DNA sequence: GCCAACGTTGGC
DNA sequence: GCCAACGTTGGC
C-alpha cells in the first residue's frame, strides 16, 4: 500500500465538504499537472491512503486522511466547456486528465501546519517542503507517514 | 529545440 | 494582494 498527500483549497473543497457528502466519497477532479496526473493514473491504487492538505488558506497544513476507493478514470470536468477545469485538448477518445475517487477516513483533532512540518528533520525530504513545490498530488514515504501520525498524540 | 512571455500556484 | 517559483506555450 502506498501513501499520498492531496492538496485542496478549503474555500473550494475542504475536508468538511468531503465528510458531509453521501458516503463521504467524491471524485478528485481538476488535477491539471502532468506529474501529479501520472502519480494518480500510474501509481495510485485502491486502499492507498492520503493526507488531506489544506492549501492557500490561513493555516496551510494536513487536516486528515482519505482513502482511495476508485482508481484513475477520465476526469469528465475536462470535457465540460462550462467547467473551470475544461480542457479542449482532452477528449473522450483520448482523455488527457484523470481523477480518482476518495473517501473520508479521519479528521485530525488539530491541523498539522506546514510550519510545524518544517520543524522536523525527519521530514526534510518531503516534496511538500521543497522550495517552490507546486505539486497537488505527491507520494509520502511510509516512515514519514507514520512519523506525522505520531505527532497527533 | 531554445527560450521569452505568460499564466498559475500557494505561502506569506 | 504580492510575488517567487515553476510549468506551459508558441515564435523562431
Amino acid at each position: 500500500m502506498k501513501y499520498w498527500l492531496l492538496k485542496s483549497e478549503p474555500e473550494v473543497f475542504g475536508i468538511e465538504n468531503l465528510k458531509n457528502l453521501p458516503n463521504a466519497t467524491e471524485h478528485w477532479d481538476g488535477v491539471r499537472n502532468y506529474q501529479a496526473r501520472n502519480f494518480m493514473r500510474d501509481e495510485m491504487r485502491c486502499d492507498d491512503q492520503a493526507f488531506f492538505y489544506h492549501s492557500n488558506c490561513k493555516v496551510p497544513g494536513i487536516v486528515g486522511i482519505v482513502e482511495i476507493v476508485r482508481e484513475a478514470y477520465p476526469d469528465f470536468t475536462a470535457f465540460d466547456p462550462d467547467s473551470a477545469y475544461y480542457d479542449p485538448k482532452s477528449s473522450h477518445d483520448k482523455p488527457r486528465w484523470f481523477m480518482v475517487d476518495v473517501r473520508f477516513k479521519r479528521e485530525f483533532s488539530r491541523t498539522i501546519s506546514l510550519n510545524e512540518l518544517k520543524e522536523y528533520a525527519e521530514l526534510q525530504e518531503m516534496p511538500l517542503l521543497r522550495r517552490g513545490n507546486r505539486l497537488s498530488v505527491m507520494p509520502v514515504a511510509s516512515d514519514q507517514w507514520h512519523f506525522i501520525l505520531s505527532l497527533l498524540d
Side-chain angles (χ1 to χ4, degrees):
Chain A
M1 182 177 67
K2 285 200 170 78
Y3 299 107
W4 304 94
L5 182 144
L6 299 172
K7 286 185 192 172
S8 187
E9 302 187 21
E11 303 256 319
V12 179
F13 186 79
I15 196 164
E16 296 289 334
N17 301 104
L18 180 63
K19 190 168 70 170
N20 292 321
L21 286 171
N23 295 325
T25 299
E26 183 62 297
H27 47 269
W28 199 263
D29 61 21
V31 172
R32 296 292 180 270
N33 169 283
Y34 289 107
Q35 200 181 350
R37 178 204 67 183
N38 292 347
F39 280 136
M40 261 193 342
R41 186 189 58 187
D42 304 336
E43 297 191 42
M44 224 176 237
R45 294 292 171 258
C46 273
D47 299 327
D48 282 0
Q49 295 187 58
F51 286 133
F52 198 119
Y53 180 92
H54 281 174
S55 68
N56 206 8
C57 56
K58 196 162 184 181
V59 183
I62 299 170
V63 295
I65 294 176
V66 301
E67 62 183 337
I68 310 305
V69 293
R70 182 177 173 189
E71 293 177 10
Y73 59 104
D75 183 340
F76 51 76
T77 64
F79 306 140
D80 176 6
D82 294 329
S83 169
Y85 299 124
Y86 178 57
D87 181 355
K89 292 175 183 163
S90 188
S91 66
H92 285 84
D93 284 348
K94 278 191 125 185
R96 173 174 296 202
W97 305 113
F98 290 80
M99 56 188 175
V100 298
D101 287 356
V102 302
R103 182 192 295 140
F104 172 84
K105 186 153 189 189
R106 173 179 177 190
E107 184 171 15
F108 293 161
S109 52
R110 64 184 185 87
T111 298
I112 305 178
S113 70
L114 177 62
N115 274 338
E116 179 178 353
L117 294 170
K118 286 176 179 168
E119 292 174 9
Y120 303 109
E122 290 89 338
L123 303 178
Q124 291 313 301
E125 300 305 314
M126 285 186 83
L128 179 72
L129 303 184
R130 274 208 295 267
R131 201 167 64 112
N133 164 69
R134 288 165 52 182
L135 266 187
S136 61
V137 177
M138 69 186 83
V140 176
S142 175
D143 53 350
Q144 293 165 348
W145 177 274
H146 291 102
F147 177 81
I148 290 167
L149 286 182
S150 76
L151 300 172
L152 287 168
D153 309 315

